[in-house]
Amino acid sequence: MGVRLMVVDDHRLLAEALASALKLRGHRVLAAAAPAAGAAELVIARAPEVCLLGTAAPAEPGTFDPVVRIKRERPQVAVLVLGPVPSPRGIAAAFAAGASGYVRHDERIEGVERAIMKARAGEAAVAPQLLQGAFGELLNPAAQPDDEGQRLLQMLTPREVEVLVRVADGEDTRLIAAGMGIAPSTARTHVQRVLMKLGVGSRLEAAALAARTGLLDRAGPLRIHGPAPETATGSGSEP
């Protein structure tokens, strides 16, 4: 039996892709929305059985305030957090806020669906390996943890970072070109270079990797969209 659910994530492309996949599996998706900042109001108004709430920074203060409000006003709604590989503090914060589970952004759709069914049944929905990894980090913290997001960010030029941000926001080649004031062929080349540097085969994979590693949060200043000044791009090269 399908579940009435909502998908809320700052990255529209991820939210819409996940919503589409769940619809194909027989679930009723009431909304696939961005940004997560308005999640509480939307969930309270629509009252789904399960809400999938995306976050790129589970350990940041205030991240799970929407969960607290949802559980206070709609206690029957099960909230599943979608996020990167969590730290012990991130897992603890999610459950302390009232979340029913935690699912990684790069989890397969079958795993997401299992978590949804567990959450609706009132069970804790978190993969054993996530708990094992979190407690392993807690007991044996790494002296110098590898910052994958920073490493990936250093591989990209500022313009490629902007392209990645736009890809994650669901913009197609035409919108990327218009927003950056470049030719569509140039935008397409930038996208191909980003995929190659990140070692992924599709825009969706690139967006998921960027969200999982926190790369998009580090690129915060570039998340201001809007058409760039008109420039001559007839030659297909950037201004």
Side-chain angles (χ1 to χ4, degrees):
M1 181 179 177
V3 178
R4 288 187 305 105
L5 53 86
M6 292 176 58
V7 182
V8 184
D9 196 293
D10 282 331
H11 310 305
R12 186 176 61 202
L13 181 63
L14 296 179
E16 292 180 351
L18 181 55
S20 296
L22 290 169
K23 284 180 182 178
L24 290 174
R25 300 178 78 86
H27 300 289
R28 182 185 174 194
V29 180
L30 303 179
E41 290 80 3
L42 195 58
V43 174
I44 291 166
R46 303 299 295 273
E49 294 177 281
V50 178
C51 169
L52 299 173
L53 177 66
T55 178
E60 290 296 316
T63 294
F64 300 118
D65 287 351
V67 181
V68 174
R69 185 178 170 196
I70 291 168
K71 296 304 292 184
R72 182 176 66 244
E73 300 193 30
R74 293 284 188 181
Q76 73 276 19
V77 175
V79 181
L80 272 179
V81 175
L82 296 171
V85 178
S87 66
R89 184 172 58 175
I91 286 238
F95 280 96
S100 297
Y102 192 106
V103 182
R104 282 176 48 167
H105 270 134
D106 58 354
E107 177 63 77
R108 296 174 64 87
I109 188 64
E110 294 84 1
V112 176
E113 188 173 39
R114 282 194 297 272
I116 289 172
M117 302 308 289
K118 281 188 174 183
R120 185 176 69 168
E123 302 175 23
V126 58
Q129 59 268 32
L130 274 187
L131 282 178
Q132 182 179 11
F135 285 112
E137 180 185 336
L138 185 63
L139 295 172
N140 300 290
Q144 295 181 331
D146 178 36
D147 190 335
E148 186 179 2
Q150 182 63 30
R151 180 180 63 81
L152 293 174
L153 190 61
Q154 291 174 346
M155 294 169 57
L156 305 175
T157 67
R159 179 138 286 195
E160 288 167 349
V161 173
E162 182 178 357
V163 168
L164 178 58
V165 169
R166 291 176 180 276
V167 166
D169 281 345
E171 294 187 12
D172 59 18
T173 300
R174 179 181 58 81
L175 288 175
I176 293 173
M180 297 177 66
I182 58 178
S185 59
T186 303
R188 191 175 300 109
T189 297
H190 279 313
V191 171
Q192 291 171 347
R193 286 176 179 168
V194 169
L195 299 184
M196 180 183 67
K197 288 185 176 182
L198 295 182
V200 296
S202 71
R203 297 181 182 217
L204 182 57
E205 288 181 84
L209 177 63
R212 176 174 63 80
T213 60
L215 190 158
L216 293 175
D217 289 327
R218 295 178 178 277
L222 291 176
R223 298 190 67 82
I224 301 174
H225 294 328
E230 291 294 330
T231 53
T233 56
S235 64
S237 60
E238 294 185 35

